[in-house]
Amino acid sequence: MILLLRPVMALLALGSAALAHEVPKAPAAPPDFTPPAAGSYALPPIQPTPAGTVLDSRGRRHDLKAFTTGKVTLLSLFYAQCADPEGCPAAFNAMIDLRDRLAARPDLARRVRLVSLSFDPRDTPELLAAFGHHLAGTNLPWSFLAAASSEGLAAMLDGFGQDIAVEEEGDATQPRVISHMLKLFLIDRRGQVREIYTTAFLQPEVMYNDILTLLIEDGLAQR
Amino acid sequence: MSSPVLRSFRLSLVGLAAAAVIAAPARADETCNSPYMTGLIKGQEDFVHVWTLGVKGLGDESDKLVTIDANPGSKTYGKVVHSLSVGGRGEVHHMGFTDDRKQLWAGRLDDSKIFVFDVGRDPSKPKLVRTIDSMPAKTGYVGPHTFYAMPGRMLVQGLSNTKDHGGRTGMAVYSNKGDFVAKYDMPTTNGGDGYGYDIAINPAKNLMLTSSFTGWNNYMMDLGKLVADPEAMKRFGNTMVAWDLKAMKPRKVFAVPGAPLEIRWSLKPGDNWAITASALTSKLWLVKQDANKAWQAKEVGTIGDPSKIPLPVDISITADGKGLWVNTFMDGTTRYFDLSNPEAPKQTYSKVTGKQVNMVSQSWDGKRVYITSSLLANWDKKGADDEQFLRAFAWDGKELKPLFEVDFTKEKLGRAHHMKFTAKPKRQSALAALE
C-alpha cells in the first residue's frame, strides 16, 4: 500500500512537467481492532501549535495560525523527496484516505482541513502547487505550505517537537535524506494539538474518529 | 530558478552556514522500548547509562546518571566515562526514552521527582535539561516508575498516592516539553485493585497492558521488616489490566496474584502475546487472545522454586520472541527460558551472576546481556552480599561469558539500578546543508 506513493513522490520531486500521471489511490488497511466510537473518549490538549510565518503554493506569506485555527486540522510535516516508505509517503497515504472519507461528508468537510508543511527549503512554491494540483481539489481544503525563513522553520519545528537533520552518509548521487520521525498533528479549532500520529499508529479509521470526536466536542457533529 | 522560498532561506541561513555537524542517534535497539520510539539500535550499543542511587558516605552521596563505554573498539571500553549527579537521594528507579530518543526521562520513587536528560546531542555526556516535580500535586500520584514513550508525550506510571502512600495510583501524561497533559486512575472496580507498575502497548491491537506492585509504605520499608509484617504483605498488587489505548479506559482486569512486574510484548511480527513474571509467586504469565478473540491471562510457567521466594524482578525478551531472560534477586541468578512455545516456557540455562541481581537488558541481536544489582535501597542485601555493579556478558546461546564489570561501590558511585543503551550519533548536518 505504502509503496504505491513512492513513484509519485519521485515524480513530484522532478517538477510539475512530470506530473501528468494520476496519483494512485492507496487503500487503507482496516485496523485489527474495533476502534472506540467517535465522541466516546477524550483527546486532552497536548501542546499549542507554534506561531510562524508560512508561504503558500503561490509564494504568498501567511500567519501559520490561519491554517491551524477555525477548523479541525490534520497537519503533516514533510519533504518532497522523502522516499522512506514509513515516512512521508505513509503520511500522504493516510491523508488521501481521510480526504476521501471526509469529502464524502460535506457537512464535515467544511469544518476540516488538511495541511502539509514542508521542512525542506528546496521545496519551491511551484512544487507545492504541483502537490496541491494532484492531491487537493476536493471539497476538503488541503494546503501545501513552506516556512518563510529558516529561523521561522526552526522555531516551528521546535514548537511541534519535530526533530530533523540532513544525513551526511550515503550515496552522494542520490537525493539527500532528511532524517525525521514521521508525525501528523491533529489540531482543534483553537489551535491545540490533540493527537499525534506516528508510523506505529497511522490508522485512518481511528484518525477519522478522532476528527469526528473533536467536532462532536464543539457541537459541530453528532455521535 | 530562485524561488522566494529559496531566496529567503539563503538570506537567513548565513548565520547557520557553519552548521555544525550535530548529533542524532544511529538507527539501532534493545528489546523492551516503546513501539512509538524511533532510532532503534540493532547493532553495537556504544554506551550503557545506569540510573544510580546515591549512598550516604559513598562518593558525593548523590543520585546520579552513570555513563559507561560499552563499545569494545573504544579505548575506554568498560569504563565510566561520565557521571552526572542530580542532587539528593530520592530512590531512583526506572528510565525511558522519548519517542524521538533524544531525551531520557528518569524517576525517583521517594520524592517523585522526574529528571529529563538530553542524550541525543552527545550520549557520552548526558545533560540534565529539566526537572519535573509536579506529579504529586498535579495528579495525587506518588512514585513515577515506568516512562513509556507515546507520540510527542510521555506516559508515566505511578506506584502510590499522596493520600495514604498505599498502592492505589494511576498514570500521568506529560508532553515531551514537560507540561502536564492528563491523568488516569488505575481501576478499582470490576476486580481492579488500583495498583500499578509497568506499561506495555500493542498499537496494532489498540491494547495497553499494565501490571501492579505496591505502594510507598512498602517499597520504602526495610525488606526484613516488610516480610515480617503480614498486613503489609497483603498490600501488593494482584492484577493486570487491559486498556483500550485510544480511549485510555480499562477494558478488562486479570487476576494475576503476587505482584506481576515487567511486561514484554513479543516483537516477532504477527505475534500478539505478552509475558510477565509475578515477583512474589515466581510465575510466568501469558496474555493473549483466546479462540473467541477475548484477551486472557494465564499462568504458563514457574521460575525456580517459588517456596524459596527467588523473587523474579526483571525480564528481557529476545527480539524474535523465542527467549526470555529472567533475573531472580534473592539467589542472584540469571535464567534463560525457551519461549518457542509461549504457552509452555522452559528454563534451559541459569547462572549465578551476583550475590543479588536486579535488572537484565540485552542487545537487539541478543549477543550481549547486561545485569545490575540494586532492587530498592531498603530491599538490597546487607553487608558483603550488598554487591553493587554493572556486569556485561557475551551470550553465544550456550553460556554467559563475562565481558567487563564496573564495581559501583569501589568507584564510589552508589547502587546500580536501571540501564538504557545509546549509540554514537551518525554524522548529520543542520538545515543549512540543504542550501
Side-chain angles (χ1 to χ4, degrees):
Chain A
M1 169 192 84
I2 288 168
L3 291 175
L4 288 175
L5 265 181
R6 295 183 68 184
V8 177
M9 307 308 290
L11 285 174
L12 290 170
L14 291 173
S16 57
L19 292 171
H21 303 279
E22 188 174 345
V23 175
K25 182 181 173 183
D32 192 19
F33 57 88
T34 303
S40 69
Y41 55 93
L43 295 169
I46 299 169
Q47 61 194 40
T49 49
T53 302
V54 294
L55 302 176
D56 66 16
S57 57
R58 294 171 65 183
R60 297 174 302 192
R61 297 170 70 91
H62 299 273
D63 192 332
L64 176 62
K65 190 177 178 182
F67 296 92
T68 57
T69 58
K71 293 176 182 280
V72 171
T73 303
L74 183 66
L75 183 148
S76 72
L77 297 163
F78 82 107
Y79 74 109
Q81 293 189 29
C82 181
D84 179 354
E86 294 188 348
C88 306
F92 279 113
N93 273 329
M95 295 175 84
I96 289 169
D97 184 295
L98 286 162
R99 177 199 67 187
D100 293 346
R101 287 173 192 257
L102 290 161
R105 288 281 307 271
D107 58 321
L108 303 180
R110 65 192 177 95
R111 304 187 190 283
V112 181
R113 70 162 72 87
L114 304 177
V115 176
S116 294
L117 174 58
S118 169
F119 49 71
D120 187 345
R122 298 169 303 182
D123 290 348
T124 62
E126 292 81 1
L127 193 53
L128 298 176
F131 268 84
H133 176 72
H134 282 264
L135 296 176
T138 69
N139 57 342
L140 183 78
W142 191 343
S143 300
F144 290 84
L145 308 173
S149 68
S150 63
E151 287 89 350
L153 174 61
M156 284 190 282
L157 293 176
D158 182 62
F160 277 115
Q162 176 81 60
D163 188 75
I164 70 168
V166 183
E167 299 280 350
E168 288 290 304
E169 298 166 359
D171 185 348
T173 65
Q174 297 297 312
R176 273 185 154 165
V177 172
I178 303 179
S179 172
H180 69 287
M181 183 178 187
L182 169 65
K183 290 184 178 179
L184 282 84
F185 300 84
L186 178 62
I187 302 164
D188 68 19
R189 296 164 65 242
R190 293 162 292 283
Q192 290 289 317
V193 174
R194 304 291 290 273
E195 184 56 287
I196 302 171
Y197 308 100
T198 56
T199 306
F201 208 0
L202 269 181
Q203 297 278 5
E205 192 169 340
V206 177
M207 297 163 82
Y208 179 83
N209 280 0
D210 289 350
I211 291 169
L212 203 52
T213 294
L214 294 187
L215 293 174
I216 292 169
E217 178 184 281
D218 283 350
L220 300 174
Q222 294 183 333
R223 290 192 183 196
Chain B
M1 186 186 78
S2 183
S3 73
V5 181
L6 282 176
R7 278 199 300 273
S8 173
F9 269 91
R10 284 179 181 136
L11 287 172
S12 56
L13 285 172
V14 172
L16 300 173
V21 172
I22 58 172
R27 293 176 189 271
D29 193 359
E30 66 275 46
T31 61
C32 64
N33 288 302
S34 162
Y36 297 106
M37 206 185 79
T38 189
L40 300 179
I41 303 173
K42 294 185 177 174
Q44 171 69 49
E45 59 281 358
D46 289 313
F47 303 103
V48 179
H49 307 281
V50 184
W51 194 211
T52 304
L53 293 80
V55 174
K56 191 173 182 181
L58 189 69
D60 68 2
E61 303 184 334
S62 168
D63 294 337
K64 54 183 68 72
L65 184 66
V66 175
T67 300
I68 295 163
D69 188 335
N71 190 321
S74 170
K75 290 179 181 176
T76 51
Y77 175 57
K79 305 294 183 189
V80 175
V81 294
H82 192 255
S83 177
L84 176 55
S85 294
V86 297
R89 294 187 298 279
E91 195 65 46
V92 308
H93 211 70
H94 282 195
M95 304 184 284
F97 291 107
T98 48
D99 57 353
D100 57 7
R101 210 180 175 124
K102 299 292 186 188
Q103 295 187 335
L104 183 60
W105 289 42
R108 299 206 296 202
L109 300 181
D110 186 12
D111 63 8
S112 296
K113 285 186 178 179
I114 297 167
F115 300 89
V116 181
F117 301 97
D118 177 348
V119 291
R121 292 205 166 268
D122 182 357
S124 72
K125 297 182 180 63
K127 182 180 176 185
L128 180 64
V129 294
R130 185 176 296 116
T131 302
I132 301 168
D133 57 8
S134 65
M135 184 165 154
K138 293 275 189 185
T139 66
Y141 308 146
V142 163
H145 178 271
T146 294
F147 297 89
Y148 205 85
M150 294 186 73
R153 54 204 189 276
M154 186 67 83
L155 185 56
V156 184
Q157 173 69 67
L159 292 186
S160 190
N161 66 77
T162 54
K163 287 184 180 174
D164 65 3
H165 279 187
R168 288 194 175 188
T169 188
M171 292 173 285
V173 180
Y174 283 85
S175 72
N176 279 358
K177 294 184 183 302
D179 295 322
F180 174 72
V181 172
K183 57 170 282 192
Y184 302 94
D185 290 345
M186 307 307 285
T188 54
T189 57
N190 300 318
D193 54 21
Y195 285 45
Y197 182 81
D198 201 17
I199 298 167
I201 289 174
N202 181 340
K205 293 288 186 180
N206 188 38
L207 192 80
M208 176 172 69
L209 294 173
T210 55
S211 54
S212 56
F213 180 42
T214 195
W216 186 96
N217 291 327
N218 277 359
Y219 66 67
M220 291 303 294
M221 192 187 301
D222 177 82
L223 183 61
K225 185 179 174 186
L226 174 63
V227 297
D229 183 340
E231 286 303 310
M233 289 300 291
K234 292 178 184 174
R235 294 191 281 271
F236 280 86
N238 294 299
T239 60
M240 293 180 74
V241 181
W243 298 70
D244 181 321
L245 173 65
K246 168 53 66 176
M248 289 300 284
K249 292 177 180 174
R251 184 190 291 177
K252 187 173 185 178
V253 177
F254 306 115
V256 183
L261 299 183
E262 269 74 14
I263 311 165
R264 304 287 180 252
W265 284 100
S266 171
L267 302 173
K268 181 183 174 187
D271 274 359
N272 281 299
W273 52 264
I275 196 159
T276 189
S278 55
L280 301 181
T281 46
S282 209
K283 302 287 187 182
L284 288 170
W285 285 74
L286 182 71
V287 180
K288 64 179 293 189
Q289 287 174 300
D290 63 19
N292 297 318
K293 291 211 163 188
W295 289 96
Q296 309 289 357
K298 66 177 178 178
E299 181 189 321
V300 291
T302 296
I303 305 163
D305 180 354
S307 68
K308 295 179 180 174
I309 312 180
L311 215 56
V313 281
D314 194 23
I315 58 177
S316 177
I317 196 166
T318 58
D320 61 6
K322 292 184 176 176
L324 186 76
W325 291 103
V326 180
N327 264 4
T328 44
F329 178 80
M330 297 304 289
D331 57 12
T333 300
T334 299
R335 305 158 187 269
Y336 186 81
F337 283 79
D338 181 345
L339 277 186
S340 298
N341 178 5
E343 306 268 356
K346 291 179 184 173
Q347 182 179 312
T348 56
Y349 176 82
S350 72
K351 182 186 184 81
V352 174
T353 52
K355 291 181 177 174
Q356 58 184 4
V357 295
N358 184 30
M359 305 306 291
V360 53
S361 298
Q362 66 185 301
S363 56
W364 182 269
D365 59 17
K367 293 179 180 176
R368 295 165 302 284
V369 177
Y370 299 86
I371 290 165
T372 54
S373 50
S374 179
L375 176 52
L376 289 157
N378 291 323
W379 289 25
D380 284 354
K381 295 180 180 179
K382 306 292 192 289
D385 286 345
D386 188 18
E387 290 181 335
Q388 295 299 338
F389 57 78
L390 166 79
R391 287 179 179 152
F393 297 88
W395 172 245
D396 60 6
K398 297 176 181 175
E399 178 67 24
L400 283 176
K401 296 174 181 173
L403 289 173
F404 68 82
E405 172 181 349
V406 174
D407 184 328
F408 272 56
T409 302
K410 186 179 177 183
E411 298 285 338
K412 300 186 186 306
L413 296 168
R415 301 179 183 277
H417 195 92
H418 203 203
M419 299 165 276
K420 284 292 179 187
F421 305 153
T422 55
K424 286 179 182 172
K426 295 170 75 174
R427 288 178 65 81
Q428 295 183 330
S429 299
L431 276 174
L434 288 169
E435 276 296 275

